[in-house]
Amino acid sequence: MYFQRLKDLREDMDMTQKQIGEILGIKQTVYSRYERGFQTIPVEHLLTLADFYGTSTDYILGRTLIKDPYPKKRR
């Protein structure tokens, strides 16, 4: 489930829930609910975290095991 990925990514960066909450503009307790699976993470927070961690939303959501983000398409 995605909540374990959120925790793993945060711990890999040696960051606290409070620090991630500050990045998202929310309290630590709200972010803690995301990590424990008690509250669904909003899309805007998911996008912010994917950008912050340099990964894809699919990786965070557990839809792929590939941590690297998708290559950007050229227009």
Side-chain angles (χ1 to χ4, degrees), residues 36-53:
R36 293 183 294 145
F38 293 149
Q39 186 171 337
T40 303
I41 187 168
V43 172
E44 62 269 15
H45 291 172
L46 178 63
L47 294 170
T48 299
L49 291 177
D51 289 343
F52 177 75
Y53 291 129

Side-chain angles (χ1 to χ4, degrees), residues 1-74:
M1 296 300 256
Y2 75 88
F3 42 88
Q4 185 61 48
R5 286 269 167 93
L6 289 176
K7 182 177 180 180
D8 291 343
L9 287 165
R10 176 181 58 79
E11 289 177 344
D12 287 348
M13 297 279 290
D14 293 322
M15 297 188 75
T16 64
Q17 289 181 345
K18 185 175 191 288
Q19 290 171 312
I20 299 299
E22 289 171 357
I23 290 168
L24 298 175
I26 59 174
K27 294 184 178 189
Q28 176 274 329
T29 54
V30 174
Y31 182 76
S32 174
R33 285 185 229 141
Y34 298 163
E35 277 193 9
R36 293 183 294 145
F38 293 149
Q39 186 171 337
T40 303
I41 187 168
V43 172
E44 62 269 15
H45 291 172
L46 178 63
L47 294 170
T48 299
L49 291 177
D51 289 343
F52 177 75
Y53 291 129
T55 192
S56 68
T57 56
D58 278 352
Y59 178 77
I60 293 173
L61 295 172
R63 296 183 56 162
T64 183
L65 298 176
I66 301 169
K67 193 172 181 179
D68 294 332
Y70 302 119
K72 303 252 188 240
K73 290 184 179 179
R74 291 189 159 187

